[in-house]
Structure formats: C-alpha cells, structure tokens
Amino acid sequence: MNCVFCQIMEGKIESKSVYEDDNFKAFWDISPQAPVHLLIVPKEHLEPAQGFQDSDVELLGRMFLVAEKVAREQGVFDKGIRLILNIGHDAGQEVPHLHLHLLGGRKLGRLVAE
Ligand code: AMP
C-alpha cells in the first residue's frame, strides 16, 4: 500500500523509533513542533476519516496507554503533554493512517493556533 506509515511499519522507510510492540510503533515526527514530538501509530492501517467501528475500541484505548508509557519514558508526562488526533481535511490531516501526536517538553501554546 502506498501509505508512508505502512512503509515505515514494513521497514521500507526509516524512522527514529522509540517504542514497538505487536500492535504499535512510536517514532519521532520528521518535522517536530516541540522538544518531544512523537507519533503513536497502530501497525494496522486504519483511517479515522472513514469513521471508527466498535471493533476499533480496544486498539484506540491501547493507543492512549502506549502514549502515556512513551511520554513517561521520555520524561515529559509529569510536566504535561498534549495528544492530538487530526481527522480529515479541516484538521489538516496529511497522513490518512491513524496516528496520535504526542507533544511535550515545553509549555505548549493555544490549543488552536489560527
Ligand atoms: P497529520 O497532519 O496529523 O496527518 O500529521 C502527519 C505527521 O506525520 C506530520 O506531523 C508529519 O511531519 C509526519 N510525517 C510525515 N512523514 C513522516 C515520516 N516519514 N517520518 C516521520 N514523520 C512523518
């Protein structure tokens, strides 16, 4: 599949990985917006813009547990983090494959910049 995150999962595109288990990989965003800017990405290709299913609930919940674990490992959880899930055009979603942005390591600004 011509999906950049699927290609990262398959090792066809390099990433700076910080975490991996059977269902998820977490790696540095290529264009970081904070001292810590990681992407928590399910290995399975889900597209949030298509809507979620009941069968996605376990994976969606686990994605937040992975985000917390990674944030703690990066030493940013206690001071505060922001998790962002962009869905669709108006949110500026660039990569259709489900991913959670984990931002931390500095005081983050307004929730919506513009
Ligand atoms: P979104 O706008 O929520 O779809 O965010 C997609 C994110 O993926 C952006 O923050 C990009 O900087 C990031 N990104 C795109 N390609 C790569 C890549 N090859 N490795 C790491 N991050 C990437």
Side-chain angles (χ1 to χ4, degrees):
M1 185 182 288
N2 187 27
C3 162
V4 62
F5 289 172
C6 285
Q7 290 180 59
I8 285 175
M9 297 308 163
E10 293 163 11
K12 292 179 181 161
I13 294 178
E14 279 190 27
S15 67
K16 281 175 60 184
S17 177
V18 297
Y19 176 86
E20 182 165 8
D21 65 22
D22 287 348
N23 299 305
F24 294 94
K25 200 172 167 90
F27 50 87
W28 285 88
D29 194 293
I30 206 168
S31 177
Q33 307 296 309
V36 173
H37 184 174
L38 296 157
L39 301 171
I40 317 301
V41 187
K43 291 185 172 177
E44 184 184 345
H45 182 93
L46 289 182
E47 297 198 2
Q50 303 296 320
F52 295 114
Q53 314 280 333
D54 278 352
S55 56
D56 299 330
V57 166
E58 165 89 14
L59 191 78
L60 291 168
R62 295 222 163 270
M63 187 164 65
F64 284 87
L65 293 180
V66 171
E68 178 189 334
K69 179 179 171 58
V70 169
R72 288 188 185 283
E73 286 172 359
Q74 295 292 323
V76 294
F77 186 82
D78 288 345
K79 288 199 81 175
I81 58 167
R82 182 171 293 159
L83 299 174
I84 297 173
L85 172 49
N86 291 319
I87 301 179
H89 177 270
D90 278 2
Q93 186 183 4
E94 292 172 3
V95 177
H97 187 131
L98 176 63
H99 56 281
L100 197 56
H101 293 256
L102 161 57
L103 296 148
R106 70 167 166 85
K107 190 134 185 355
L108 298 163
R110 288 162 55 87
L111 182 59
V112 179
E114 299 163 24

